[in-house]
Amino acid sequence: MDAAEKVAAQYSDMVYLGVGLHEGYGSAQRMYVKRGYIPDGTGVWYGEKVCPQYADCCNDDDLVLYFSKALNKKKRT
């Protein structure tokens, strides 16, 4: 993750990632939170679209919550 964030910081001040919501993604969910990622505020996504409130969905690999993290970029001289 350190290496991926370092590369991402060369292109952007912010990094986004999606993580599944079923228990198979539990370790990843915990790791991202511990590394400072927070939900991006768009809610739950299903099949690459925001899942509307009260919509039916399936708790499979397509049910995702997106997180973001601000990256500290040093000013280039």
Side-chain angles (χ1 to χ4, degrees), residues 22-51:
H22 65 71
E23 67 180 326
Y25 290 99
S27 295
Q29 294 165 0
R30 292 174 51 80
M31 177 188 67
Y32 296 139
V33 169
K34 287 180 179 182
R35 292 187 63 88
Y37 287 83
I38 59 170
D40 72 353
T42 61
V44 176
W45 289 61
Y46 187 79
E48 299 181 18
K49 296 179 184 175
V50 173
C51 188

Side-chain angles (χ1 to χ4, degrees), residues 44 46 50-58 63:
V44 176
Y46 187 79
V50 173
C51 188
Q53 188 173 6
Y54 304 112
D56 290 330
C57 62
C58 182
L63 188 63

